[in-house]
Amino acid sequence: ELLPDDELELARCWLEVDRSVFEVEASVPGEGMTLRDLRDDDRVEVAAPWLTGDLPAGTLLCARVVPAGDRWIVPGGCEPVTEEQRDALLALLSGDGVDPVELMDLLTAPDAADFYPEP
């Protein structure tokens, strides 16, 4: 009741989009990136003005990529995925009713810290 009808419909549409693991194919700082969904090999151009640095091709990200008008966005951000997490994460996301605790356990496993450089 707090949302206008068009925004309510958009929110419902987003709920139908599953989270997945994406490979970065290209990125342009301040603009966006090209992502390939590892589950179905679909490619999408994502508007990502928050992208401030070069995200190298081959980087893996866990995200929910949703339509917003005539573009695609990543609401709520995305999490880096290591090669070691990839298969387990894809298996988890392929099931029905993903357990959010199990998802967070996978995304915050000790090897996930390997993605970030030492301070």
Side-chain angles (χ1 to χ4, degrees), residues 49 89 97:
L89 193 51

Side-chain angles (χ1 to χ4, degrees), residues 29-89:
E31 292 182 30
M33 55 191 159
T34 304
L35 300 177
R36 181 176 65 91
D37 190 332
L38 296 185
R39 292 194 307 175
D40 58 18
D41 213 35
D42 285 348
R43 286 170 176 76
V44 64
E45 296 289 328
V46 176
W50 46 264
L51 185 63
T52 58
D54 184 34
L55 201 52
T59 300
L60 301 177
L61 302 172
C62 180
R64 185 184 311 256
V65 177
V66 299
D70 61 348
R71 62 190 178 128
W72 292 84
I73 62 170
V74 180
C78 51
E79 289 296 319
V81 175
T82 64
E83 284 293 330
E84 294 77 20
Q85 293 170 298
R86 177 180 145 161
D87 291 339
L89 193 51

Side-chain angles (χ1 to χ4, degrees), residues 9-30:
E9 184 57 35
L10 182 61
R12 284 188 178 132
C13 174
W14 286 4
L15 290 175
E16 296 174 11
V17 177
D18 292 327
R19 183 178 307 278
S20 192
V21 177
F22 295 87
E23 178 181 15
V24 174
E25 290 192 330
S27 67
V28 178

